[in-house]
Amino acid sequence: MTEQSRLRYDEGCLAAHALNLVGDRWALLVLRELMLADKRFQQIRAGLPGITAAVLTQRLTQLIGAGVVRHDARLGIYGVTPSGRGLLPVLQALCRWGALHPGHDPGRFISPVALMISMTAMIDAQAAQGLSLRAGFLIGREGFVQRLTGDSVLQVEAQDDLQADFVLEGSGNSLARAIYGPQPLTAQDDVVLHGDGALAQRFLDLFRLR
């Protein structure tokens, strides 16, 4: 395939150039699934239930060619490059922009990584100012620790050892309801709390779908 045949937008615009690299359907969502941890092919696909194996293979090949995804053939894992990680603010901005427009259905599948990234985008920074804590999340086989250190910037890492002030365990959708829904944590029958419940509720109160 020639360079010209890959172009979707034959323009000198930098935004068009970026979309020529990562603008295919599924491309940004594939990057999303790799943003917090390296994964194998089937692990990526588990976070994107609507994608076929053939399309995922195509997108990974394109993203590797664009320099935003790397592949360790020996270990069979994919990860983001520093350039790919630079697209995290783009995903966060899309979350905030999408929350302003009607039609979002929170009942549809949300992957663990999608939920974690949305939280970094949707936190009430003013309310979080001065708060320091570690929040753990266990979603199936995936674990995450989120940190606030007083500056209102929420940092998240994928971790197996969840050393945190509290841990919330559930599916991506059940946790999304607890985080963004109107009901308190005590009313969430499908979310298991380990640790400080009062601090967990204070933390969840920092999030709203605006």
Side-chain angles (χ1 to χ4, degrees):
M1 182 181 294
T2 66
E3 176 66 24
Q4 185 64 30
S5 67
R6 287 199 298 268
L7 291 178
R8 285 169 294 284
Y9 307 106
D10 188 13
E11 300 183 18
C13 167
L14 284 172
H17 172 59
L19 289 172
N20 279 331
L21 297 173
V22 298
D24 275 310
R25 187 184 182 199
W26 295 108
L28 281 175
L29 299 187
V30 171
L31 279 168
R32 179 198 71 197
E33 289 303 301
L34 293 170
M35 199 59 70
L36 300 182
D38 295 352
K39 292 184 176 181
R40 298 180 184 276
F41 185 92
Q42 291 300 333
Q43 291 174 309
I44 302 170
R45 195 176 176 193
L48 301 166
I51 199 169
T52 66
V55 170
L56 179 54
T57 298
Q58 292 172 356
R59 293 299 171 266
L60 287 168
T61 299
Q62 291 169 354
L63 293 170
I64 291 168
V68 295
V69 167
R70 53 181 169 74
H71 180 219
D72 187 323
R74 182 178 64 85
L75 297 177
I77 59 173
Y78 298 85
V80 292
T81 65
S83 175
R85 197 167 302 281
L87 288 164
L88 176 59
V90 175
L91 292 170
Q92 293 167 323
L94 285 171
C95 288
R96 289 188 288 266
W97 187 85
L100 297 174
H101 294 76
H104 172 243
D105 182 359
R108 293 181 176 177
F109 172 82
I110 181 168
S111 79
V113 175
L115 178 60
M116 294 296 106
I117 290 177
S118 80
M119 293 177 71
T120 67
M122 302 306 297
I123 189 169
D124 184 336
Q126 183 175 357
Q129 190 69 39
L131 183 61
S132 295
L133 58 77
R134 292 173 300 170
F137 295 87
L138 184 58
I139 311 174
R141 296 182 178 180
E142 296 188 67
F144 306 89
V145 171
Q146 297 184 354
R147 290 182 176 84
L148 283 172
T149 57
D151 60 1
S152 76
V153 177
L154 185 64
Q155 302 289 342
V156 57
E157 296 180 357
Q159 290 190 3
D160 294 326
D161 184 17
L162 300 182
Q163 297 295 322
D165 298 302
F166 59 85
V167 175
L168 297 176
E169 181 178 357
S171 68
N173 285 82
S174 64
L175 287 169
R177 285 191 296 271
I179 294 159
Y180 294 121
Q183 298 299 319
L185 185 57
T186 53
Q188 307 294 330
D189 294 334
D190 48 2
V191 173
V192 178
L193 167 68
H194 308 275
D196 189 333
L199 185 60
Q201 186 61 64
R202 183 182 178 189
F203 179 66
L204 297 188
D205 289 343
L206 298 174
F207 302 92
R208 292 288 184 274
L209 289 179
R210 296 185 292 272

